[in-house]
Amino acid sequence: MGFTALAATAAALPKTFEAYTSYQQGKALKKTAKEQIRLTENQAKAIEDTAVANQSRAARNAATNMSTARADAGASNLASEGSVTVRERDLATRLQDEITANANTALAEANSVRQQGAYNAWQTRQQARRSYANIVGSGLSAIGSIFQTATAGNNSSSGGNGSSS
């Protein structure tokens, strides 16, 4: 009986190690998924911060361009009516549209980074779930090895008694 128990334990060890390895892999993958989310959120935040800084800089540049346009119009001795006003308004609209378009592009990029990060983290979590599922399979296999070894040991010991009827 002692040899059978030892053989059963020895048969189950590889599957037990496999289950433990799957467990550790699942833990590591879950941690990786959390880090992926944190990293992509930081990347998206950096993109947004850059967009805000660029928008402020562009607004200052637009104000400078508007001042220059007004100064040029004043130097040309044109009245601030009619075509000068229309040109100023057109310039202001064009500059504002450019600022808005750049900000929207940056925000779209930040959202894209977030979405890709969420997808990558989801895939990593799926891998973790598969690792955890392997634990069950390995555990059942280990239990099967124990029973198979124990059953084989019992059959060989009872078969050797030889009963005659």
Side-chain angles (χ1 to χ4, degrees):
M1 173 95 173
F3 178 72
T4 303
L6 183 61
T9 304
L13 277 178
K15 296 300 180 180
T16 304
F17 288 134
E18 184 179 326
Y20 180 73
T21 302
S22 292
Y23 171 75
Q24 290 299 328
Q25 182 182 19
K27 276 179 48 178
L29 287 169
K30 280 179 73 175
K31 184 177 179 182
T32 300
K34 287 179 183 177
E35 288 300 313
Q36 283 176 331
I37 290 291
R38 189 184 62 75
L39 176 64
T40 54
E41 186 56 39
N42 287 344
Q43 287 174 331
K45 181 73 172 126
I47 291 169
E48 289 173 346
D49 290 347
T50 301
V52 168
N54 287 345
Q55 190 173 15
S56 297
R57 189 178 343 28
R60 286 191 305 273
N61 291 343
T64 301
N65 289 340
M66 290 300 298
S67 297
T68 302
R70 285 189 192 106
D72 290 345
S76 66
N77 292 326
L78 296 174
S80 63
E81 298 174 3
S83 63
V84 173
T85 305
V86 171
R87 276 190 281 144
E88 278 184 18
R89 197 171 340 141
D90 287 344
L91 177 60
T93 301
R94 188 176 66 237
L95 293 172
Q96 185 58 46
D97 289 347
E98 184 179 318
I99 291 168
T100 303
N102 289 339
N104 287 340
T105 300
L107 294 176
E109 182 183 353
N111 285 336
S112 176
V113 166
R114 278 192 181 98
Q115 289 172 348
Q116 185 63 45
Y119 178 72
N120 290 344
W122 177 82
Q123 282 186 322
T124 304
R125 284 191 301 270
Q126 293 304 314
Q127 288 175 337
R129 286 184 185 106
R130 284 191 292 276
S131 290
Y132 288 139
N134 287 341
I135 294 170
V136 174
S138 297
L140 291 175
S141 181
I143 291 169
S145 296
I146 291 171
F147 283 127
Q148 183 179 15
T149 304
T151 304
N154 287 339
N155 286 341
S156 66
S157 66
S158 63
N161 290 341
S163 59
S164 52
S165 302

